[in-house]
């Protein structure tokens, strides 16, 4: 077993059960990509069993802080069984569930979503890449599913020195799935959808939108960055009369329109605009359009804190336009999924946008990702999705 020795004082984060060690903290030791290593403090004390990643700034990701634990197929079976059992206890209101959420489930770099009887996974670290086959077997065993599709085409893989990989890992057949979320039927394709196919993290916020649209009697809804229209279906279910979905992906919009009909709503109540959101908001303002509810769920503008400043301007811009377009008494659901922008900063950005728009509003709720995408106490970096539900004055 190869040993990685840390510099003096650099053992602190592992002692607090934080799973990452950055390149600059390593004093000596080398291993192959994904190889299991024993991480020791300067004085030789055991800290963790971990996966080594020679190409990555995150040089070491801990698998276990227990010296007696062996990192083998059984280890992955246990961790995956625990993650699956946690989701069962959480009683998620859908058969589309995030089963494994990386570090939060003690499996750094592994993301697994279940869509009905189909699994879709991302292997994003050298360690998960190396253990791919035992992980795949453990996933089938823990879920009873027979099909697992791999979507290891996220750009973060490049940081680990890994090429993109996609395709069936176990089983084969149709890559399309239909899930039931809060009683709505939503379809996706694990081969060509975003990420693993769908944005499960917004599940509870879609239900809340439906509830608010009904409660406040909101009629005209603008769903920006709609993807396949999850929030659009929610708004219609809540009784909205007219919903406009805006996205720059034509295939996503086609699915959004299909979802409206699939869920029993009149196609005439939905309009799909294949366009840039920023330009659409400006054009709508110029045309004198007004909406009673607006959802802003943009892609990650700031992947890391280093991008925060430019991202802040982009968030502020769309929120300012959104608040202007919103009728008095209207509802804004505004999100950021940038890990580099914390909830407090996001609040400040939206407040700045409101100032510029000459608007104010009451925060109805602070929103976050669904509980099957947990943030753990020891790994706060896992927190990424935050949002505000604002009732405009
Ligand atoms: N709210 C969605 C998820 C949104 S993901 C849901 O509940 O499923 C972000 C979406 O923004 C993607 O679908 C992407 O195609 C779209 N997008 C990215 N940049 C855009 C832009 N400049 N204008 C319009 N859409 C954009």
């Amino acid at each position: 077993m190869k040993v990685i020795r840390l510099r003096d004082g650099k053992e602190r984060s592992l002692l607090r059960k934080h799973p990452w060690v950055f390149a600059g903290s390593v004093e000596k030791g080398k291993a192959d990509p994904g190889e299991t290593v024993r991480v020791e403090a300067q004085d030789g004390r055991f800290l963790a069993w971990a996966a080594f990643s020679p190409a990555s700034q995150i040089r070491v990701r801990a698998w276990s802080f227990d010296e007696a634990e062996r990192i083998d197929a059984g280890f992955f079976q246990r961790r995956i069984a625990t993650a699956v059992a946690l989701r069962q206890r959480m009683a998620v209101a859908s058969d589309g569930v995030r089963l494994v959420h990386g570090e939060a489930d003690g499996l750094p770099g592994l993301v697994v979503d279940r869509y009905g009887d189909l699994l879709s996974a991302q292997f994003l670290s050298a360690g998960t890449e190396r253990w791919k086959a035992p992980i795949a077997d453990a996933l089938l065993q823990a879920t009873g599913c027979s099909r697992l599709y791999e979507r290891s085409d996220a750009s973060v893989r490049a940081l680990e020195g890994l090429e993109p990989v996609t395709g069936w890992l176990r089983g084969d057949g149709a890559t399309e799935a239909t899930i039931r979320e809060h009683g709505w039927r939503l379809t996706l394709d694990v081969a060509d959808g975003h990420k693993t196919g769908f944005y499960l993290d917004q599940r509870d916020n879609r239900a809340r939108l439906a509830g608010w649209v009904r409660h406040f009697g909101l009629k005209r809804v603008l769903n920006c960055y709609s993807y396949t229209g999850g929030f659009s279906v929610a708004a219609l279910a809540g009784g909205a009369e007219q919903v406009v979905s805006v996205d720059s992906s034509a295939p996503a919009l086609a699915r959004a329109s299909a979802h409206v009909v699939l869920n029993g709503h009149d196609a005439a109540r939905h309009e799909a605009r294949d366009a840039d959101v920023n330009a659409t908001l400006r054009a709508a303002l110029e045309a004198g359009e007004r909406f009673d509810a607006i959802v802003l769920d943009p892609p990650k503008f700031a992947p890391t804190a280093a991008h925060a400043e430019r991202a802040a301007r982009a968030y502020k811009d769309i929120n300012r336009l959104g608040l202007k377009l919103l009728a008095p008494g209207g509802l804004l659901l505004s999100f950021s999924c940038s890990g580099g922008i914390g909830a407090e900063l996001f609040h400040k950005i939206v407040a700045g946008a409101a100032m510029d728009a000459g608007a104010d509003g009451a925060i109805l709720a602070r929103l976050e990702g669904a509980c099957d995408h947990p943030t753990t106490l020891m790994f706060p970096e896992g927190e990424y999705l935050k949002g505000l539900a604002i009732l405009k004055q």
Side-chain angles (χ1 to χ4, degrees):
M1 178 67 60
K2 292 180 183 158
V3 173
I4 301 298
R5 178 73 56 91
L6 301 191
R7 288 185 200 285
D8 197 21
K10 296 300 184 186
E11 70 283 1
R12 276 196 290 266
S13 70
L14 286 178
L15 286 175
R16 279 189 282 111
K17 306 268 193 290
H18 187 286
W20 293 353
V21 177
F22 287 92
S25 300
V26 174
E27 184 178 278
K28 64 174 186 199
K30 276 212 275 280
D32 292 334
E35 191 176 351
T36 303
V37 292
R38 178 188 167 93
V39 187
E40 292 181 354
Q42 175 75 198
D43 61 6
R45 218 171 2 146
F46 170 86
L47 295 171
W49 300 114
F52 193 74
S53 185
S56 176
Q57 276 307 303
I58 305 175
R59 192 58 47 90
V60 164
R61 290 175 200 248
W63 291 127
S64 173
F65 301 100
D66 176 1
E67 192 168 3
E69 187 142 43
R70 282 190 49 188
I71 309 306
D72 55 14
F75 166 80
F76 291 99
Q77 283 164 13
R78 289 192 298 279
R79 283 279 158 99
I80 287 168
T82 302
V84 170
L86 176 65
R87 276 43 178 204
Q88 275 159 359
R89 289 183 63 206
M90 286 171 166
V92 173
S94 172
D95 57 357
V97 183
R98 165 86 23 124
L99 291 181
V100 179
H101 190 56
E103 278 76 355
D105 288 297
L107 292 164
L110 181 67
V111 170
V112 184
D113 287 330
R114 177 178 187 152
Y115 299 118
D117 62 0
L118 178 56
L119 301 176
S120 182
Q122 296 178 308
F123 297 78
L124 304 174
S125 61
T128 52
E129 180 72 15
R130 184 136 174 154
W131 288 97
K132 196 180 279 180
I135 288 171
D137 292 335
L139 284 168
L140 297 195
Q141 193 190 358
T143 58
C145 295
S146 58
R147 300 191 306 141
L148 167 62
Y149 198 85
E150 177 174 10
R151 280 300 301 273
S152 302
D153 53 345
S155 57
V156 290
R157 258 176 76 100
L159 302 176
E160 296 276 317
L162 301 169
E163 299 288 322
V165 182
T166 59
W168 287 108
L169 254 185
R170 296 289 182 271
D172 57 15
T175 51
E176 176 139 300
T178 303
I179 58 169
R180 252 192 191 279
E181 180 179 289
H182 313 295
W184 309 321
R185 291 170 73 199
L186 297 164
T187 68
L188 59 111
D189 193 318
V190 292
D192 61 21
H194 293 182
K195 302 212 247 182
T196 68
F198 192 71
Y199 293 92
L200 293 171
D201 51 2
Q202 290 284 24
R203 178 194 311 116
D204 297 347
N205 298 325
R206 289 190 276 263
R208 296 188 83 168
L209 176 66
W212 283 321
V213 165
R214 182 165 304 284
H215 178 79
F216 295 113
L218 306 172
K219 298 298 174 217
R220 224 171 113 69
V221 178
L222 178 64
N223 180 11
C224 297
Y225 309 97
S226 66
Y227 189 49
T228 56
F231 280 109
S232 305
V233 169
L236 289 168
E241 281 170 8
Q242 189 68 29
V243 178
V244 179
S245 301
V246 186
D247 203 284
S248 54
S249 159
L253 280 176
R255 213 175 266 283
S257 298
H259 282 158
V260 168
V261 176
L262 181 66
N263 287 281
H265 304 293
D266 185 349
R269 287 167 64 194
H270 179 250
E271 181 193 336
R273 293 188 195 168
D274 179 355
D276 171 67
V277 163
N278 203 299
T280 305
L281 292 173
R282 286 171 200 277
L285 262 179
E286 239 163 65
E289 285 192 75
R290 276 287 171 280
F291 292 92
D292 302 309
I294 299 181
V295 179
L296 297 173
D297 185 21
K300 211 190 289 176
F301 287 157
T304 71
H307 304 80
E309 206 175 301
R310 205 176 61 195
R313 279 197 293 276
Y315 284 118
K316 187 176 171 188
D317 229 21
I318 54 171
N319 278 281
R320 176 177 52 81
L321 295 166
L323 281 162
K324 278 186 158 177
L325 262 183
L326 202 58
L331 174 72
L332 176 69
L333 289 201
S334 182
F335 296 96
S336 161
C337 61
S338 296
I341 301 226
E344 211 175 315
L345 175 56
F346 186 59
H347 180 140
K348 282 196 183 127
I349 294 169
V350 179
M355 180 70 99
D356 288 0
D360 197 358
I363 297 176
L364 267 186
R366 296 173 191 279
L367 306 172
E368 57 191 7
C371 66
D372 50 341
H373 302 61
T375 303
T376 60
L377 294 170
M378 305 303 168
F379 187 68
E381 291 92 331
E383 186 155 42
Y384 66 104
L385 182 62
K386 72 260 336 160
L388 292 171
I390 299 162
L391 211 51
K392 186 178 170 182
Q393 286 169 358

